[in-house]
Amino acid sequence: MLDSTYVTDYIDSHLEQRQVNKIQHGFPSPRYWTEPTIAADEISEDRRKLREAGQAPDLFLYIGVPYCIKTDPGKCGYCLFPVEEFKGNDALEDYYGYVEREAELYRDRLAGARLGSAYFGGGTSNLYRPAHYLKIMELVNRLVPDIAEGADLTLEGIPQLFTRDKMQAIRDSGMNRISMGVQQVNERLNSLSGRKQTTRHVVQSLDWAREFGLAANVDVIFGWPQQTVETMLEDLKTLVSWDVYDITHYELNVGGPTDFALNRFHELPSTLSNLEMYRVGRDYLLDQGYEQHGAYSFRKPGDPTSRDFREGYRPQLHDVADAVGLGYAAISFFGAATLGPGRSWSYINQRNLSLYKAAVDEGRLPVERAFRYQSDDWVLATVFRHLLGMELDRTGLRAAMGVDVYEEFATVWDGLASRGLAEITPEKITLVGDGPFYTPMVSTLLAEERYRALREREVDNKKAKLVMAGEGAGSGR
């Protein structure tokens, strides 16, 4: 357990530092995913055992698109995801043929699974022509014929690429929600990303979604270059006036060789300004009748098309998770505490499009690298998933995993509680006040000891490889 003084000093020194979202891929960071492949047959057998025991969660399915339209600056100025430049529908159709073939590699492995939700993302998933959305849902139905009643089936897109025909085709296919990455309603601020979206595009897309009975989520970012509390709040007021029931309001991640990091860092609001934006935005939405369902997600009751949408997937059965990602750079995760050490996994598909296609051509899962969880790792991965909802059920997690998540990380929770960032009861731990804003800091502290061990393992592995290389060179003389 971390020393309480270390925790106190860490919190105090990071309250005014920029938050970097470390929960996007859960635990651990993909930099530690060093397994070159997965034990696919073992995972399939474990899935079967959980289903037969009635312990399997509903499956979350992700299907990705690698392509985005070109912007200046590139990658919308801030995007850290691997993407390919869209150069025409022929390339997109060819790529999707590979996704269909990858899905066939999973079909027998997922026999008997029930689909709880699906997310069609990217890249930019509304690049497809209207007729293609039926093809996507036909793939889903072949792969997982049993779809839960009320399953959320979301297609992500950018406003300027939606058309009325596309929206109708999305509805007719069986999809029931769109998620739009608006990022900034303010057209001047949005133009800094090189995107051509206008207010009219957003309004028209929302109108079409309502016309066809589709739920609609809008993503907006705070902490944008040149953004102020006033411009941020004006965007939220506009969305509320448009009757947007689901709003994801999250802080900009700045890093890598992006334009915002390299050329506009001096234009970014300070961490304290970002914190004020979080507070003002949260308080405004709550005052308007929205409920906060996660660190960044707000929902207003009363939506006639409402879906149980929780940032792509929902924590289920406390310690069990099952998600399959299809396509370029897609991420999958699977596991349960009851399976024991080394039987839970996360893995990412090839982030090189040619290598992705080559793997599928060879009839193998296109895994680039993976992580095999030990027991402590799976506890952290489970805690990270539940942090998305700002609350940890101590009682349920103790029953499922045999671990009290308070006792396991007591110094962290106590340090947060002493600063009004968390509340601790015998039944649960809840992030409160500014706690959700500091979720990245919280996750870093919770994982610190395990990351130290993983870093040491990395060093030991490198030393062992150097020794083996030296011995090999010696034997060849």
Side-chain angles (χ1 to χ4, degrees), residues 362-439:
E362 294 168 12
R364 56 186 176 85
L365 296 176
V367 176
E368 179 182 313
R369 59 186 187 184
F371 184 83
R372 186 193 285 262
Y373 290 85
Q374 300 307 311
S375 297
D376 289 348
D377 299 322
W378 193 247
V379 170
L380 280 166
T382 303
V383 168
F384 274 37
R385 284 201 312 278
H386 285 263
L387 275 178
L388 284 170
M390 307 185 298
E391 184 175 287
L392 301 177
D393 176 2
R394 288 178 66 182
T395 305
L397 289 169
R398 187 188 301 114
M401 307 185 76
V403 171
D404 187 311
V405 292
Y406 168 72
E407 293 177 357
E408 194 79 6
F409 309 102
T411 55
V412 174
W413 301 123
D414 289 343
L416 295 169
S418 70
R419 284 154 183 78
L421 302 176
E423 287 181 353
I424 304 164
T425 71
E427 294 78 29
K428 62 185 180 181
I429 300 169
T430 308
L431 296 182
V432 297
D434 296 334
F437 174 81
Y438 288 112
T439 298

Side-chain angles (χ1 to χ4, degrees), residues 113-409:
R114 185 174 77 162
L115 184 70
S117 57
Y119 195 86
F120 312 109
T124 308
S125 273
N126 64 335
L127 280 166
Y128 288 118
R129 291 172 176 167
H132 200 94
Y133 300 105
L134 180 60
K135 289 182 64 175
I136 294 173
M137 285 306 299
E138 286 174 343
L139 180 156
V140 172
N141 280 283
R142 286 195 304 273
L143 184 62
V144 194
D146 185 7
I147 299 178
E149 185 177 355
D152 177 78
L153 307 171
T154 298
L155 183 116
E156 178 185 64
I158 58 176
Q160 64 267 40
L161 291 183
F162 282 114
T163 65
R164 187 178 183 277
D165 286 347
K166 281 188 183 182
M167 206 72 78
Q168 182 173 3
I170 289 165
R171 190 277 310 274
D172 291 348
S173 75
M175 298 177 192
N176 49 36
R177 167 184 286 275
I178 62 164
S179 180
M180 286 196 295
V182 172
Q183 320 313 17
Q184 300 292 306
V185 178
N186 183 296
E187 290 186 11
R188 184 187 69 82
L189 293 181
N190 183 69
S191 69
L192 301 179
S193 69
R195 294 172 62 167
K196 305 303 182 184
Q197 158 195 314
T198 66
T199 303
R200 180 178 175 278
H201 289 134
V202 182
V203 173
Q204 184 66 83
S205 295
L206 290 170
D207 285 346
W208 286 327
R210 292 190 191 97
E211 178 184 353
F212 294 109
L214 293 165
N217 180 82
V218 168
D219 293 353
V220 283
I221 296 176
F222 65 90
W224 192 266
Q226 302 180 26
Q227 190 180 38
T228 64
V229 174
E230 290 73 25
T231 54
M232 177 278 302
L233 185 57
E234 189 61 35
D235 273 9
L236 291 182
K237 288 181 177 179
T238 300
L239 294 177
V240 170
S241 75
W242 291 341
D243 291 328
V244 177
Y245 283 86
D246 276 298
I247 298 174
T248 303
H249 191 223
Y250 64 98
E251 186 177 6
L252 177 71
N253 260 1
V254 183
T258 61
D259 180 72
F260 283 11
L262 298 176
N263 301 314
R264 294 194 179 274
F265 197 85
H266 64 288
E267 297 177 352
L268 298 175
S270 67
T271 300
L272 291 181
S273 293
N274 285 352
L275 176 57
E276 186 181 2
M277 289 185 196
Y278 171 77
R279 289 171 174 167
V280 170
R282 174 201 61 201
D283 293 349
Y284 171 73
L285 291 172
L286 294 177
D287 185 60
Q288 294 299 308
Y290 288 77
E291 299 170 349
Q292 187 170 10
H293 287 276
Y296 314 112
S297 56
F298 298 83
R299 176 180 298 143
K300 187 175 182 178
D303 184 356
T305 59
S306 181
R307 319 299 306 178
D308 190 6
F309 173 77
R310 302 288 178 90
E311 300 187 32
Y313 66 90
R314 294 167 283 173
Q316 300 175 69
L317 302 181
H318 292 105
D319 73 311
V320 190
D322 197 358
V324 169
L326 300 178
Y328 164 93
I331 289 174
S332 303
F333 51 89
F334 165 77
T338 56
L339 295 173
R343 306 287 287 202
S344 300
W345 291 82
S346 285
Y347 54 96
I348 187 169
N349 278 357
Q350 289 287 350
R351 291 170 292 177
N352 177 297
L353 190 54
S354 295
L355 293 178
Y356 168 78
K357 291 181 176 181
V360 175
D361 281 337
E362 294 168 12
R364 56 186 176 85
L365 296 176
V367 176
E368 179 182 313
R369 59 186 187 184
F371 184 83
R372 186 193 285 262
Y373 290 85
Q374 300 307 311
S375 297
D376 289 348
D377 299 322
W378 193 247
V379 170
L380 280 166
T382 303
V383 168
F384 274 37
R385 284 201 312 278
H386 285 263
L387 275 178
L388 284 170
M390 307 185 298
E391 184 175 287
L392 301 177
D393 176 2
R394 288 178 66 182
T395 305
L397 289 169
R398 187 188 301 114
M401 307 185 76
V403 171
D404 187 311
V405 292
Y406 168 72
E407 293 177 357
E408 194 79 6
F409 309 102

